[in-house]
Every structure is written in C-alpha cells, then in structure tokens.
C-alpha cells in the first residue's frame, strides 16, 4: 500500500460538547473554522495523489457548519473519493430531523457515517435527546444505505454505557447491521486530566511502528497538514511535531511528497514513538497509555534534543545500518 490512504479534514475545532476525554481540546469556546477555499483546494489536490481513496470530515463537530460540510462531501464524491462523517449526533433529536440531515448528505455522496458515543458524550447528548439520537441517526442512515458505525471509548473502569450496552440497545432497535467498535482514548489534551487507572493496560504502547503515521494526512483549520490523525496538533506546545506543511503556502501534492521523505514520520511509521524515545536517550520512560501520549512527551520534553539531529542521524539512531532501506521503503510506498 502506498501512503497516505486517507485525507482527514478537520472542518473546525468548535464543538457543542466539551468531553473530558477530548484529545484535540474541542469545545464551544473554539472558533477556528477551515475556509471553504482551503477545503476545496485540499480535495481537488488530493485527487492528484493516487494513494488517497477516502476523505473524512471531522472536528470538533463538523455538522455545526452543515452547508460547508455538504459542499465538501459533494466535491469529494464528485472526485470519486469514499466519504465519511464523524459526528456526535446532536442534530438527530427526531427520526424526521435525522433523516432530513442525512438525506442531504446522502444526496451529496456521503457513504460512511461514524457516531461517537460513550460515557463522556452521554451527558452532553442528554441535552438533545440522549441515546435516542444515536438510534434516530443510525436508523435514518441505514434506511438511506449509508454504512454506519458507533464508536465507543474503551476504558478499564468508570461509569456509563459500555460497548455491550450500546450493542444491546441497537439490537433492540433492530439495528444489528450497525457496527460498534471500541477505541482507547489518547491521554493528551483534556484526557491527560483523567485518572490513569481508567486507561486499559492492553493499550500501553510497545516498541512497534505506529499504523497511523503517514496513513492519514490531516488538514487543520489554519491550513496546517499533519502526517497522522492529529491528536496532539491542537496543543500549542506540541503542534510542531507532526506538521509537514501548510496548505496556504504549498500544494497538498508537495506536502505529501515531503511527508514521504520525512525522517520523523518514517521513524514513527516503522519503529514507533517508544523506539524514538529510546534513541533519544530515555532509558527509563514513564508509563504511557497510548502512542499519541509518547509523541506528546517527545514533542514537549525532547524537542531540543530531537532538533539537534539530522534526518540521517535520527534514522540511524532508530534503525541502525538499515536506515537507508527504511527510507526506500517509505518513498516507494511499501508498507
């Protein structure tokens, strides 16, 4: 597979929820919104990158800018991309309202639909209708033929709906075809304030490559493009770490070309952040609960040391004598 395969468009950092586990620090206080011009540019130029097959619209809460979202989905669909929306389903307070929203997105070309729901989203969604919103949105999506998924946060403890609870409620509503997945939160952003005992040990990162690095290029409201899903980029002290360019000044094709030759991206993809941390001289690192947390640690605690290394010396420190081969694998697109 040639990388990247996905363009993720963070339409905004604004959200009507302020979930305690939000790694990108989204919330009602945020006002950053991607311009239409940059959104159009990103989609059109992504069409010149053969490896990209999926365009994801996310945030924040992308549906807060619904007209722009519909325009983006339509343009991406016209260029032949698979289109996906990630949302908290606040707008689905009735089945008719849910169908109204989703029918416009379906007409524009939306193919995949992800709803985020868990113990962190639940108190905020309660103001709009609670889990019934998820049922309404999923029912409308299934009726319209949109592939539907509900994402639930994986935790070791705490109170609130579990993945089993969500599956049972969907089954009772006759929505067995709706997929339900678990994903552990990244302990950065607001999630850094959560008790460590909530985070499952089976998500503790190992010295292996990060599958997110280079797989997704993420466009942020200010035009920055990062080489992963972007959990740490909204934190000012760590934003520099995964940024490979800015769409205001460069083409997406040029940014992706740089990404494929970026030593840090290559090291993260094939070795992972723990091996980078060890290469930077951290003999006894603290316990981490996600790869993103390791990246944040490197970005904030090891920035000076990392910046002292050339691309060659970083790759040599991580891969030893095989570093030239790793560079060749990245630029040739071999996973």
């Amino acid at each position: 597979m040639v990388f990247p395969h996905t363009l993720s468009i963070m339409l905004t950092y604004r959200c009507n929820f302020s979930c305690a586990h939000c790694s990108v620090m989204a919330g009602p206080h945020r006002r950053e919104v991607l311009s239409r011009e940059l959104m159009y540019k990103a989609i059109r130029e992504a069409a010149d990158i053969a490896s990209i097959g999926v365009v994801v619209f996310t945030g924040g809460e992308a549906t807060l800018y619904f007209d722009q979202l519909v325009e983006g989905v339509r343009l991406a669909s016209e260029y032949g991309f698979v289109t996906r929306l990630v949302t908290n389903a606040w707008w689905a307070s009735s089945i008719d309202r849910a169908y109204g929203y989703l029918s416009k997105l379906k007409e524009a070309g939306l193919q995949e639909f992800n709803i985020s729901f868990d113990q962190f989203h639940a108190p905020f969604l309660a103001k709009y209708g609670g889990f019934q919103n998820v049922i309404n949105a999923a029912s409308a999506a299934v009726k319209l033929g949109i592939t539907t998924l509900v994402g639930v946060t994986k935790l070791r403890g705490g109170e609130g709906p579990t993945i089993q609870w969500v599956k049972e409620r969907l089954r009772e509503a006759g929505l067995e075809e709706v997929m339900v997945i678990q994903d552990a939160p990244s302990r950065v952003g607001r999630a850094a304030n959560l008790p460590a005992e909530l985070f499952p040990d089976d998500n503790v990162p190992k010295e292996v490559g990060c599958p997110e690095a280079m797989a997704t290029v993420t466009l942020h409201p200010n035009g920055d493009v990062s080489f992963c899903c972007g959990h740490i980029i909204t934190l000012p002290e760590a934003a520099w770490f995964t940024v490979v360019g800015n769409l205001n000044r460069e083409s997406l094709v040029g940014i992706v070309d740089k990404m494929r030759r970026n030593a840090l991206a290559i090291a993260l993809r094939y070795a992972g952040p723990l091996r980078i941390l060890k290469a930077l001289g951290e003999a006894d690192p603290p316990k981490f609960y996600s790869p993103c947390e390791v990246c944040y640690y490197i970005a904030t605690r090891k920035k000076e040391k990392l910046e002292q290394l050339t691309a060659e010396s970083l790759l040599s420190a991580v891969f030893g004598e095989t570093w030239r081969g790793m560079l060749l694998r990245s630029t040739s697109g071999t996973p």
Side-chain angles (χ1 to χ4, degrees):
M1 179 184 291
V2 179
F3 301 119
H5 53 63
T6 299
L7 168 64
S8 179
I9 297 177
M10 279 192 164
L11 205 60
T12 181
Y13 295 149
R14 185 182 169 208
C15 186
N16 47 356
F17 294 8
S18 296
C19 300
H21 72 316
C22 184
S23 59
V24 299
M25 304 288 282
H29 63 289
R30 304 296 294 266
R31 288 293 179 266
E32 302 94 328
V33 183
L34 182 70
S35 70
R36 277 178 164 82
E37 291 73 22
L38 279 187
M39 181 182 73
Y40 299 154
K41 180 182 179 184
I43 295 169
R44 287 169 179 149
E45 293 182 358
D48 293 324
I49 303 171
S51 61
I52 296 179
V54 180
V55 175
V56 180
F57 295 87
T58 183
E61 177 56 38
T63 63
L64 294 175
Y65 300 91
F66 189 73
D67 290 344
Q68 183 175 343
L69 170 63
V70 171
E71 291 174 21
V73 169
R74 178 172 287 111
L75 183 61
S77 181
E78 288 172 354
Y79 275 99
F81 293 110
V82 172
T83 53
R84 181 184 306 148
L85 169 64
V86 182
T87 179
N88 59 33
W90 69 274
W91 40 269
S93 54
S94 70
I95 188 66
D96 288 342
R97 193 159 189 252
Y99 192 86
Y101 266 74
L102 286 175
S103 61
K104 292 177 182 177
L105 288 164
K106 172 67 175 181
E107 186 275 330
L110 184 69
Q111 293 167 270
E112 299 180 2
F113 176 59
N114 293 7
I115 306 170
S116 300
F117 181 80
D118 46 46
Q119 68 185 67
F120 301 110
H121 289 86
F124 296 97
L125 191 61
K127 303 173 186 177
Y128 299 96
F131 190 74
Q132 186 60 44
N133 283 46
V134 178
I135 298 294
N136 294 339
S139 298
V142 168
K143 186 175 181 179
L144 288 162
I146 302 172
T147 300
T148 307
L149 179 150
V150 178
V152 182
T153 299
K154 180 181 182 180
L155 294 172
R156 188 162 54 184
E159 300 177 355
T162 62
I163 185 171
Q164 291 78 17
W165 186 93
V166 172
K167 286 181 176 180
E168 181 62 21
R169 300 291 84 73
L170 290 170
R171 187 193 64 77
E172 291 171 355
L175 294 168
E176 291 90 346
E177 64 266 72
V178 174
M179 294 177 286
V180 185
I181 64 167
Q182 276 187 318
D183 187 24
S186 296
R187 201 164 176 247
V188 295
R190 281 199 293 272
N193 298 318
L194 294 174
E197 55 267 23
L198 285 180
F199 293 80
D201 280 333
D202 59 4
N203 196 54
V204 172
K206 300 175 176 61
E207 288 188 36
V208 296
C210 177
E212 296 298 330
M214 304 179 75
T216 299
V217 283
T218 300
L219 173 63
H220 296 263
N222 67 352
D224 280 346
V225 177
S226 59
F227 58 66
C228 68
C229 51
H231 282 294
I232 70 171
I233 197 175
T234 63
L235 306 173
E237 67 275 21
W240 66 275
F241 190 70
T242 59
V243 174
V244 282
N246 188 287
L247 205 61
N248 285 297
R249 302 183 295 271
E250 306 164 79
S251 70
L252 189 62
V253 172
I255 293 171
V256 166
D257 185 60
K258 285 196 305 181
M259 179 204 75
R260 290 172 176 163
R261 291 167 171 76
N262 184 285
L264 181 57
I266 293 168
L268 286 169
R269 174 77 199 180
Y270 296 109
L274 278 179
R275 278 180 60 185
I276 294 174
L277 188 57
K278 184 175 288 187
L280 292 173
E282 188 87 8
D284 187 26
K287 185 175 183 179
F288 298 107
Y289 292 91
S290 74
C292 295
E293 189 181 351
V294 188
C295 285
Y296 178 80
Y297 184 88
I298 296 172
T300 55
R301 304 288 187 90
K302 299 294 180 179
K303 180 180 181 181
E304 184 176 344
K305 191 160 188 176
L306 186 60
E307 289 180 334
Q308 291 173 355
L309 299 178
T310 64
E312 292 82 0
S313 61
L314 172 61
L315 293 175
S316 179
V318 173
F319 298 111
E321 294 302 315
T322 64
W323 74 266
R324 294 184 189 277
M326 302 310 299
L327 180 61
L328 180 62
R329 287 177 66 184
S330 172
T331 55
S332 66
T334 305

